[in-house]
Amino acid sequence: MKSIVQRVTEARVDIEGTTVGRCGPGVLILVCAMQGDTDQNAEALASRIARLRIFRDEAGRMNRSLLDTGGAALVVSQFTLAADTSRGNRPGFSDAAAPDVGARLYEHFTACLRDQGVTVETGQFGADMQVHLVNDGPVTIPIDR
């Protein structure tokens, strides 16, 4: 699975003008299931992100995790993370998992993140979404698992 983790002060996702998910201080996670990904990949990614030390400690250093801070996560499916731009000007997405597999792994990933103790809200798999965020720092971390 591929992901982009952005530390945020706030984030929300809208579908057709209606907010379907939001979080306060924490992370916005864009996530994509790739061909060959399994439940174990989703579990490992959730564990890694929950423990990723990207929040400031008392000394101002990035030394605290979502679990340490009680931060929340907004998880948004984004198959375009699978983009292959090695040929021509139009990206290819054939490395992304099939939609049924992608949806299942997306749901499994969010459940695993909740199981880690993180408050999670989501977008809607496969929907045309508008994502709004205030990137804190800015801190943006790509993670593949």
Side-chain angles (χ1 to χ4, degrees), residues 98-134:
D100 59 328
V101 174
R104 187 182 63 72
L105 288 172
Y106 168 74
E107 294 297 331
H108 187 60
F109 169 77
T110 59
C112 290
L113 201 54
R114 284 185 183 106
D115 289 347
Q116 297 287 324
V118 176
T119 300
V120 177
E121 293 215 13
T122 65
Q124 180 182 333
F125 186 89
D128 183 12
M129 297 173 277
Q130 291 71 51
V131 180
H132 307 265
L133 71 140
V134 178

Side-chain angles (χ1 to χ4, degrees), residues 33-37 79 93-105 125:
M34 306 293 289
Q35 284 190 23
D37 280 342
F79 82 95
F93 302 103
S94 60
D95 289 339
D100 59 328
V101 174
R104 187 182 63 72
L105 288 172
F125 186 89

Side-chain angles (χ1 to χ4, degrees), residues 49-126:
I49 290 174
R51 290 167 177 71
L52 187 65
R53 297 179 347 184
I54 60 171
F55 296 92
R56 293 180 189 95
D57 64 12
E58 300 77 25
R61 296 190 347 235
M62 288 197 300
N63 202 27
R64 300 182 75 208
S65 70
L66 270 177
L67 298 177
D68 297 329
T69 63
L74 175 59
V75 181
V76 177
S77 63
Q78 185 150 5
F79 82 95
T80 59
L81 292 178
D84 177 0
T85 58
S86 64
R87 298 175 308 247
N89 294 319
R90 183 173 182 207
F93 302 103
S94 60
D95 289 339
D100 59 328
V101 174
R104 187 182 63 72
L105 288 172
Y106 168 74
E107 294 297 331
H108 187 60
F109 169 77
T110 59
C112 290
L113 201 54
R114 284 185 183 106
D115 289 347
Q116 297 287 324
V118 176
T119 300
V120 177
E121 293 215 13
T122 65
Q124 180 182 333
F125 186 89

Side-chain angles (χ1 to χ4, degrees), residues 1-4 31-49 105 109 142-145:
M1 296 185 80
K2 288 189 174 195
S3 69
I4 300 291
V31 66
C32 175
M34 306 293 289
Q35 284 190 23
D37 280 342
T38 65
D39 287 353
Q40 290 77 23
N41 296 108
E43 293 158 10
L45 183 63
S47 179
R48 187 159 184 208
I49 290 174
L105 288 172
F109 169 77
I143 302 175
D144 296 350
R145 199 62 171 171

